[in-house]
């Protein structure tokens, strides 16, 4: 995750995403990191797709993933979606 965050900070989200793609698809840390990458780079729809992948695969949510998704929703004004996440 440190390498991914460094790449994002230095404006290389494509390299960060490629680095994440080497990890197992259902890895919560990878998915959470990808949610952050898409949110930071103004791709909240992609962040939403990843969050729903977590839900559909019944991967247990952690606080970090929930916060990342709430942030993505807030960036595009999806208040109703944010409220559902907060209620869980």
């Amino acid at each position: 995750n440190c390498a991914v965050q460094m790449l994002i900070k230095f404006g290389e989200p494509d390299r960060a995403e490629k680095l994440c793609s080497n990890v197992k698809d259902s890895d919560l840390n990878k998915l959470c990191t990808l949610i952050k990458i898409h949110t930071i780079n103004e791709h909240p729809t992609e962040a939403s797709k990843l969050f729903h992948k977590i839900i559909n695969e019944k991967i247990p949510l952690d606080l970090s993933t929930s916060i990342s998704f709430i942030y993505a929703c807030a960036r595009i004004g999806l208040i109703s979606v944010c409220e559902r996440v907060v209620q869980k």
Side-chain angles (χ1 to χ4, degrees):
N1 274 347
C2 292
V4 171
Q5 290 176 358
M6 178 195 68
L7 289 169
I8 293 168
K9 184 172 185 171
F10 291 109
E12 299 194 37
D14 293 335
R15 286 183 61 198
E17 192 164 355
K18 284 180 188 175
L19 185 61
C20 284
S21 68
N22 294 328
V23 182
K24 191 175 115 183
D25 280 346
S26 61
D27 180 28
L28 183 61
N29 289 329
K30 171 202 166 188
L31 294 171
C32 184
T33 300
L34 289 173
I35 288 170
K36 290 177 187 176
I37 290 169
H38 288 301
T39 301
I40 290 168
N41 290 293
E42 305 292 330
H43 300 118
T45 303
E46 293 300 320
S48 177
K49 287 179 188 176
L50 290 171
F51 185 79
H52 289 291
K53 176 179 178 152
I54 292 168
I55 299 297
N56 291 337
E57 292 184 10
K58 299 186 188 318
I59 300 170
L61 289 178
D62 64 4
L63 182 60
S64 177
T65 306
S66 297
I67 290 171
S68 297
F69 185 68
I70 289 168
Y71 178 68
C73 289
R75 299 270 313 240
I76 59 170
L78 293 175
I79 295 172
S80 63
V81 176
C82 288
E83 288 173 347
R84 287 190 301 231
V85 173
V86 169
Q87 289 172 357
K88 291 181 181 184

